[in-house]
């Protein structure tokens, strides 16, 4: 398993070179990598169906209990087959879809291959932290694929939207993983499922957080708005990420944890309610779409809601139906997306009201679409029909997983039936809009046979997917052992005889619900005009508009707050810092009075310390009364040097040397800055009395409070000093300098950060020394913006002449 994952990432690294050498044929080479994963899945199929589960483990972070655990059970193997099979076909499709001069084709090929590897790692991960790492890798790769052409503003916005939603959900999920792992005492998924901690308290919160990540990834309401927007991506991306791979990650996670937690109240309320609502709402929204790709996107959201209900219900029959529907969905939705790409490639449009007569000019493509559509509608003998029958039967007999009473299964079954009717309606709308010969009128576009001619590299991958869905309907018994093996991981909860996957179970309630869904769907399609008008009247604000409005409000609020707080007034900034210091420390003092822990007061250790302290206090008072800026800087430096002398008298020469260096650098910086400032401070007599009093009170309070807290921190010792122990340890190791040993061995990163700060300070001092114009005069104002400066009449246009004229600036 690890070799397969590394093979994908290695192929991703080689993809740019392959594209440079082979052009678009490089996709055919890269397709061999996910095809290898499919072959491995086929090789393991029989053993895993019999109950075996290949396991691979390597230590990763032993101190944190995190290992690189990989495990392939029945559910994981099914996902490996989907990711590998559909991934290979999509890469073959890319070879015919893209032209050689396409934008960053090598980068696109590499990212798509790496995404397949990350998705493969996600489904075989047996550790929560490893799963999260792979989860976020799929998020990053999908962001790059959706925004593949950054010059297009819709691509950038769609990629950003998908990134924000899925990353926010992923972070919530990570918190849930940590809570669940700590409660279970292990982060190994198989161990948690074998002995799950009770779903109350912190574990219940963890389940809600995990579901937030899963539902955001699978575009379940209220996170469903990002998926239709992601249709700005190239068609192969839509077919793979948003029909077969990425959006299945959330459904996979729900199916993975459902055997242990489907009976938990937060789980049931979240999964059943949001899944059913998503199926109905997204299906209704699809009826109003004219863009074929967005129509399929809303259909995908609807089907993901359906899958969430099935995989999260928590019964064996529902788990079996969910696994079958997961495979069927990949096999009918991926070819439909590929068909839209073929239509767009041949006609230059995917708007249903601009297409007509494609069934005659593109009969093979039409046949593929009809075959896949029949499976999506769940017509016999397609795999979609067998999966939908299993789903209806499971929902009609729900109640074994602690479902609270009959009304919930009835509501869920009604929502699934209504969603199935909507699925029939928007499938017919898709097929009619794409291929039917419509009445004459403006805007209809029938491609010529020559233009509509498509290559085998475009048609064959879509046809293979659709034919697989058609073949696995009569041959569903071939895959049934693996799916039933997954269903047996769910506790029985007193259920009756398990459901057996088959194409035909005879007439019964499940077939009746299917017939009702078909009839209602046909009626909705025939009443498309009325349904469209009703949909517009009942429409709520689109999620992408709400998201854009939220981002705009957030940005506007940030600007207003920044404009209110960042006034450019140094007294206001210092006053704010000192006020926070006083308030925060006062709260701490009130909560836990420090004088309860202080020892006896000791003013000094020796008379020289007392003398130096008196001198420092006197110089500090003179600094406050100084009127010349240079005088104040020198006096402030004297106080710092006096503090260094106190360190020497206290027996800390290292600290004294550091203090001397800091004071020297600070004095140099102050002197360089004073060259740009007036020699004297502003006349305080021109300042209002209120402002002078405020400054005096704030400074006196902050200084006195800081002095008191410094004393308390030094005298309120509750443990024995660590110094003697450090001295003993360092002497035993043959080391002579305790301070340097501490800095190097115990605070190496902190010391590195301090060194970086000193380096930045040195660069700043150098900049102040050499801050001059080319003519040698001091800089007194910023230069005008490049676009406002007149261009020299004789100068040739250089790189600076084109600053700000790129597509990003225009956007």
């Amino acid at each position: 398993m690890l070799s397969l994952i590394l093979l994908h990432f290695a192929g991703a690294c080689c993809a740019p070179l392959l594209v440079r050498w082979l052009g678009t044929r490089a996709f055919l080479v890269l397709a061999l990598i996910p095809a290898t994963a499919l072959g491995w899945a086929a090789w393991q199929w029989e053993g895993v169906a019999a109950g075996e589960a290949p396991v691979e483990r390597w230590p990763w972070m032993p101190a944190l209990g995190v290992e690189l655990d990989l495990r392939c059970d029945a559910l994981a193997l099914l996902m490996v087959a989907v990711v590998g099979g559909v991934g290979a076909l999509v890469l073959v499709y890319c070879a015919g879809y893209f032209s050689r001069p396409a934008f960053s084709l090598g980068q696109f090929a590499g990212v798509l291959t790496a995404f397949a590897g990350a998705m493969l790692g996600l489904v075989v991960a047996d550790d929560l932290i490893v799963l999260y790492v792979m989860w976020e890798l799929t998020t990053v790769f999908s962001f790059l694929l959706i925004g593949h052409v950054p010059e297009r503003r819709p691509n950038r916005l769609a990629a950003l939207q998908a990134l924000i939603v899925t990353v926010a959900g992923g972070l919530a999920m990570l918190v849930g993983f940590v809570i669940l792992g700590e409660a279970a005492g292990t982060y190994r998924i198989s161990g948690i499922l074998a002995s799950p901690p009770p779903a109350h308290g912190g574990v219940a919160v963890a389940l809600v957080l995990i579901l937030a990540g899963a539902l955001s990834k699978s575009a379940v309401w209220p996170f469903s708005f990002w998926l239709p927007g992601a249709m700005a991506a190239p068609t192969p991306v839509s077919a793979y990420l948003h029909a077969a791979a990425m959006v299945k990650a959330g459904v996979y996670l729900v199916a993975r944890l459902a055997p242990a937690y489907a009976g938990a109240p937060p789980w049931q309320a979240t999964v059943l309610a949001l899944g059913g609502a998503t199926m109905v709402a997204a299906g209704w929204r699809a009826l109003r779409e004219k863009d074929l790709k967005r129509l399929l996107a809303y259909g995908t959201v609807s089907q993901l809601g359906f899958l969430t209900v099935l995989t999260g219900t928590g019964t064996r029959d529902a788990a079996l139906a969910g696994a079958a529907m997961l495979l069927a969905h990949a096999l009918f939705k991926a070819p439909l997306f590929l068909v839209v790409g073929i239509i767009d490639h041949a006609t230059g449009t995917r708007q249903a009201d601009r297409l007509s007569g494609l069934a005659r000019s593109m009969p093979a493509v039409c046949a593929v679409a009809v075959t896949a559509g029949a499976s999506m509608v769940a017509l016999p003998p397609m795999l979609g029909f067998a999966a939908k029958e299993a789903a209806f039967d499971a929902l009609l007999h729900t109640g074994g997983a602690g479902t609270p009473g009959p009304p919930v299964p009835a509501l869920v079954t009604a929502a699934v039936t209504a969603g199935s009717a909507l699925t029939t309606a928007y499938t017919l709308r898709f097929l009619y809009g794409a291929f039917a010969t419509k009445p004459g009128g403006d805007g209809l576009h029938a491609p010529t046979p020559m233009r509509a001619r498509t290559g085998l590299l475009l048609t064959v991958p879509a046809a293979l997917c659709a034919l697989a869905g058609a073949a696995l309907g009569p041959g569903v018994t071939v895959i049934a052992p693996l799916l039933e093996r997954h269903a047996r991981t769910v506790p029985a909860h007193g259920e009756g005889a398990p459901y057996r996957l088959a194409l035909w179970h005879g007439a019964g309630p499940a077939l009746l619900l299917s017939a009702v869904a078909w009839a209602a769907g046909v009626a909705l399609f025939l009443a498309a005009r009325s349904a469209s008008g009703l949909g517009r009247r009942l429409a709520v604000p689109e999620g992408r508009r709400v998201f854009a409005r939220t981002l705009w409000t957030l940005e506007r609020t940030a600007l207003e707050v920044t404009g209110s707080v960042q006034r450019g007034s140094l007294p206001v900034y210092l006053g704010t810092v000192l006020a926070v210091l006083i308030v925060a420390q006062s709260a701490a003092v009130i909560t836990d009075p420090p004088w309860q822990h202080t020892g006896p007061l000791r003013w000094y250790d020796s008379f020289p310390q007392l003398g130096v302290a008196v001198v420092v206090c006197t110089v500090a008072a003179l600094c406050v009364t100084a009127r010349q800026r240079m005088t104040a800087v020198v006096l402030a430096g004297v106080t710092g040097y006096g503090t260094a002398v106190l360190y020497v008298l206290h027996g800390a020469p290292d600290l004294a040397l550091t203090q001397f260096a800091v004071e020297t650098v600070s004095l140099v910086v102050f002197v360089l800055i004073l060259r740009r400032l007036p020699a004297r401070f502003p006349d305080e007599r021109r300042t209002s009395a209120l402002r002078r009093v405020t400054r005096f009170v704030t400074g006196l309070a902050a200084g006195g409070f800081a002095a008191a807290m410094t004393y308390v921190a030094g005298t309120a010792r509750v443990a024995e000093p660590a110094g003697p122990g450090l001295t003993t340890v360092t002497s035993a190791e043959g080391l002579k300098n305790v301070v340097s040993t501490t800095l190097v061995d115990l605070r190496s990163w902190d010391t590195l950060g301090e060194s970086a700060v000193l380096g930045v300070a040195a660069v700043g001092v150098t900049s102040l020394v050499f801050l001059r114009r080319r003519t040698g005069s001091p800089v007194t104002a910023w230069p005008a913006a490049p676009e406002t400066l007149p261009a020299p009449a004789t100068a040739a246009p250089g790189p600076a002449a084109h600053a700000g004229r790129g597509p990003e600036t225009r956007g």
Side-chain angles (χ1 to χ4, degrees):
M1 287 179 281
L2 182 62
S3 301
L4 287 173
I5 297 171
L6 295 178
L7 178 63
H8 281 76
F9 290 127
C13 295
C14 299
L17 287 177
L18 289 176
V19 171
R20 183 181 302 175
W21 295 339
L22 303 176
T24 56
R25 290 176 295 176
F27 285 103
L28 301 178
V29 177
L30 294 173
L32 298 176
I33 298 175
T36 303
L38 177 62
W40 182 84
W43 178 47
Q44 296 286 341
W45 193 280
E46 185 176 354
V48 173
E52 300 175 5
V55 176
E56 299 175 10
R57 294 194 175 107
W58 291 269
W60 183 17
M61 293 180 282
L64 300 178
V66 178
E67 296 180 343
L68 191 59
D69 287 341
L70 305 178
R71 183 173 181 271
C72 188
D73 59 2
L75 179 62
L77 189 69
L78 177 65
M79 291 296 299
V80 170
V82 170
V83 171
V86 178
L89 293 176
V90 167
L91 284 170
V92 172
Y93 180 89
C94 288
Y97 184 81
F98 290 106
S99 59
R100 176 61 184 269
F103 177 83
S104 300
L105 196 57
Q107 174 186 335
F108 175 86
V111 174
L112 187 59
T113 307
F115 174 86
M119 190 66 197
L120 181 65
L122 188 154
V123 298
V124 299
D126 194 34
D127 185 274
L128 292 176
I129 304 302
V130 176
L131 188 150
Y132 172 74
V133 171
M134 295 298 177
W135 185 284
E136 294 300 341
L137 282 178
T138 60
T139 298
V140 173
F141 291 141
S142 66
F143 168 76
L144 297 175
L145 291 170
I146 295 170
H148 169 58
V149 185
E151 285 88 351
R152 298 176 183 171
R153 189 168 181 268
N155 289 60
R156 297 198 308 272
L157 295 179
L160 179 63
Q161 183 175 268
L163 181 70
I164 292 176
V165 174
T166 53
V167 165
L171 291 176
M173 184 186 71
L174 175 61
V175 177
F177 280 169
V178 173
I179 297 174
L180 181 61
E182 291 300 317
T186 179
Y187 284 86
R188 188 170 296 166
I189 299 174
S190 56
I192 294 174
L193 295 179
S195 181
H200 56 73
V203 176
V205 175
L207 292 178
V208 174
L209 293 174
I210 292 171
L211 285 177
L215 300 184
S216 65
K217 195 80 162 183
S218 289
V220 175
W221 191 89
F223 310 105
S224 55
F225 58 89
W226 72 264
L227 182 58
M231 293 303 107
T235 296
V237 175
S238 303
Y240 190 36
L241 275 68
H242 305 141
M246 176 182 172
V247 295
K248 294 294 196 332
V251 174
Y252 167 80
L253 184 58
V254 170
R256 175 62 69 198
L257 297 180
Y261 292 109
W267 182 284
Q268 286 186 347
T270 304
V271 170
L272 297 181
L274 296 184
T278 301
M279 185 178 186
V280 175
W284 179 256
R285 182 65 179 84
L287 292 178
R288 295 167 47 204
E289 282 295 332
K290 295 181 180 179
D291 186 316
L292 297 178
K293 200 172 179 183
R294 285 180 61 86
L295 187 154
L296 291 179
Y298 280 107
T300 298
V301 174
S302 178
Q303 293 292 320
L304 289 172
F306 183 31
L307 288 170
T308 301
V309 170
L310 292 178
T311 56
T313 298
T315 64
R316 288 190 171 185
D317 291 350
L320 176 65
M325 182 55 69
L326 189 150
L327 177 60
H329 178 265
L331 293 179
F332 65 65
K333 189 54 66 72
L336 289 176
F337 274 112
L338 298 181
V339 164
V340 173
I342 295 173
I343 293 173
D344 195 8
H345 188 272
T347 65
T349 184
R350 55 176 189 252
Q351 296 294 323
D353 55 354
R354 298 184 59 196
L355 297 169
S356 179
L358 292 188
R360 291 195 303 266
S361 57
M362 304 171 69
V365 176
C366 180
V368 171
V370 170
T371 302
S375 185
M376 185 161 67
V377 174
L379 291 177
M382 304 296 176
L383 178 60
F385 171 76
K388 185 66 70 68
E389 290 289 289
F392 278 134
D393 188 270
L395 293 175
L396 288 172
H397 296 90
T398 299
T403 304
V408 172
L411 289 175
V412 173
T413 305
V416 170
T417 304
S420 300
L422 292 169
T423 301
T424 301
Y426 66 68
T427 302
L428 294 175
R429 178 176 174 81
F430 172 84
L431 295 175
Y432 176 81
F435 297 101
T437 301
K438 306 180 183 67
D442 296 336
L444 296 179
H445 179 68
T448 62
M450 182 61 67
R451 189 178 182 185
R453 189 175 300 164
T454 57
L456 292 178
L457 292 178
L458 290 176
T459 308
V460 170
L464 288 177
C465 270
L467 291 176
L472 287 178
V476 70
T477 53
V478 176
I479 61 173
L482 183 75
L483 306 186
E484 291 168 358
R485 172 60 58 181
H486 162 62
R488 282 195 289 272
T489 62
V490 179
H493 293 292
E495 299 174 41
Y499 184 88
R500 296 293 181 183
L501 274 180
L503 180 62
W504 181 251
H505 285 274
L511 183 61
L512 177 61
L513 288 180
S514 295
V516 169
W518 296 330
V522 172
L524 278 174
F525 169 70
L526 296 177
R529 188 180 300 275
S530 301
S532 179
L534 180 61
R536 284 192 295 271
R537 288 192 294 272
L538 298 179
V540 296
E542 288 191 20
R544 61 187 179 91
R545 295 183 179 178
V546 175
F547 177 80
R549 186 70 181 179
T550 302
L551 284 186
W552 182 88
T553 303
L554 180 63
E555 181 180 2
R556 184 67 182 177
T557 303
L559 290 175
E560 293 291 342
V561 172
T562 303
S564 302
V565 177
Q566 301 295 331
R567 290 294 190 180
S569 173
L570 184 59
V572 173
Y573 297 161
L574 292 177
T576 303
V577 172
L578 295 177
V580 172
L581 169 67
I582 295 172
V583 172
Q585 292 297 332
S586 298
V589 168
I590 294 173
T591 304
D592 185 15
W595 49 81
Q596 298 179 359
H597 311 289
T598 55
L601 178 64
R602 187 173 61 182
W603 291 99
Y604 57 92
D605 294 324
S606 62
F607 284 104
Q609 286 182 344
L610 181 59
V612 173
V614 171
V615 172
V616 169
C617 292
T618 304
V619 173
L622 293 175
C623 179
V624 172
T625 60
R627 293 291 177 261
Q628 296 283 342
R629 295 181 188 270
M630 186 62 71
T631 303
V633 168
V634 173
L635 291 175
V638 171
T639 61
Y641 287 118
T643 304
V645 173
L646 287 176
Y647 289 152
V648 173
L649 295 177
H650 200 68
D654 291 338
L655 289 178
L657 290 175
T658 303
Q659 182 71 17
F660 278 125
V662 170
E663 286 300 329
T664 303
V665 173
S666 301
L667 190 60
V668 172
V669 172
F670 271 120
V671 170
L672 293 171
I673 292 176
L674 288 180
R675 297 187 303 161
R676 308 283 188 256
L677 298 176
R680 298 179 63 87
F681 287 111
D683 191 355
E684 290 293 332
R685 291 173 296 181
R686 299 180 180 179
T687 306
S688 65
L690 178 61
R691 180 170 296 182
R692 291 199 302 269
V693 172
T694 302
R695 291 178 180 177
F696 177 78
V697 172
T698 303
L700 187 62
F705 202 87
M709 287 298 102
T710 303
Y711 168 74
V712 169
T715 58
R717 183 184 298 277
V718 296
E720 292 296 325
L726 287 174
T727 304
T728 303
V729 172
T730 52
S731 61
E733 297 294 334
L735 304 171
K736 298 180 179 179
N737 193 316
V738 177
V739 175
S740 63
T741 302
T742 303
L743 293 176
V744 172
D745 290 350
L746 304 180
R747 296 179 56 199
S748 56
W749 285 111
D750 185 34
T751 306
L752 177 62
E754 294 172 352
S755 303
V757 171
L758 291 176
V760 173
V763 173
V765 172
T766 306
S767 302
L768 288 171
V769 173
F770 296 103
L771 188 59
R772 299 280 181 175
R773 285 182 178 270
R774 293 181 179 179
T775 58
S777 59
V779 175
T780 57
W782 292 105
E787 55 268 23
T788 62
L789 294 176
T794 58
H802 300 283
R805 297 184 182 180
E808 287 290 335
T809 301
R810 291 196 302 270

